[in-house]
Amino acid sequence: PRLRLLTAARAVAPPIGMLIVCTIPVVPRVNRISVATRLACNVHNMGACLYVGGYNLVEVITLKVLWPKLDINERLLRGVCVLGGLVCTVGFLGVGALYTQADYLNICCTDKYNHTEDAFRQVYHLDNSTETGYIQQLLALESFGPFVLVDSASGSALALKKLEFWLEEFAGVFVLSSHLIIWWFGKPLERLLPSF
């Protein structure tokens, strides 16, 4: 019964996590003003943790139970995938937390945002003194939210953002690789092909 529960968790947790990640978008931190937006972003992050963390946790327990029964190559490959996935996930969370504190830690040069009205006034010389300008300002606010990016990250802050991105990607790659390794060593092809 316990092994069936593990199999069910492995089959359910990653797809639900991915569905949450795919269907609930995130917005830049500066635009997370309302409670609903912050909640949506937190649910999105929970989905990512359910996908990668949930899968890796179940895989660790599975490997502990099945370790003596597995081929040495399968043990090695699945162990590398779990370890790599966990390292990338923890690294992603750590680098993300560091980036959120980059301004306080004097790490140069993070994304710079400005109020949408001010940015459009500076760049396009739009103001709301005319009806057309007022409509354009409302459209800009509706399209971009209260803040827009005016200068993207560079230097050390850009390196942190890239590292965060690639750690997240590799965490997903390790999970997918683990699935392929399980499929390969499970010998499903022998069961699918009829014997004559």
Side-chain angles (χ1 to χ4, degrees), residues 129-143:
S129 61
T130 65
E131 187 175 339
T132 303
Y134 178 71
I135 291 171
Q136 289 173 334
Q137 186 180 43
L138 288 177
L139 287 172
L141 282 168
E142 183 66 31
S143 299

Side-chain angles (χ1 to χ4, degrees), residues 81-160:
C81 286
V82 168
L83 185 63
L86 291 172
V87 166
C88 287
T89 302
V90 170
F92 165 73
L93 294 171
V95 171
L98 180 63
Y99 183 78
T100 61
Q101 301 300 317
D103 286 330
Y104 302 111
L105 299 172
N106 294 322
I107 298 174
C108 184
C109 303
T110 59
D111 293 329
K112 300 297 178 217
Y113 290 88
N114 199 353
H115 290 279
T116 303
E117 303 96 330
D118 297 339
F120 272 76
R121 193 175 303 116
Q122 291 169 357
V123 174
Y124 300 111
H125 308 290
L126 295 174
D127 59 17
N128 59 4
S129 61
T130 65
E131 187 175 339
T132 303
Y134 178 71
I135 291 171
Q136 289 173 334
Q137 186 180 43
L138 288 177
L139 287 172
L141 282 168
E142 183 66 31
S143 299
F144 302 107
F147 296 96
V148 290
L149 182 67
V150 292
D151 190 15
S152 60
S154 61
S156 299
L158 179 60
L160 284 175

Side-chain angles (χ1 to χ4, degrees), residues 69-89:
K69 299 175 185 172
L70 298 176
D71 178 74
I72 190 160
N73 292 327
E74 184 177 3
R75 277 190 233 166
L76 176 68
L77 291 171
R78 285 174 72 174
V80 166
C81 286
V82 168
L83 185 63
L86 291 172
V87 166
C88 287
T89 302

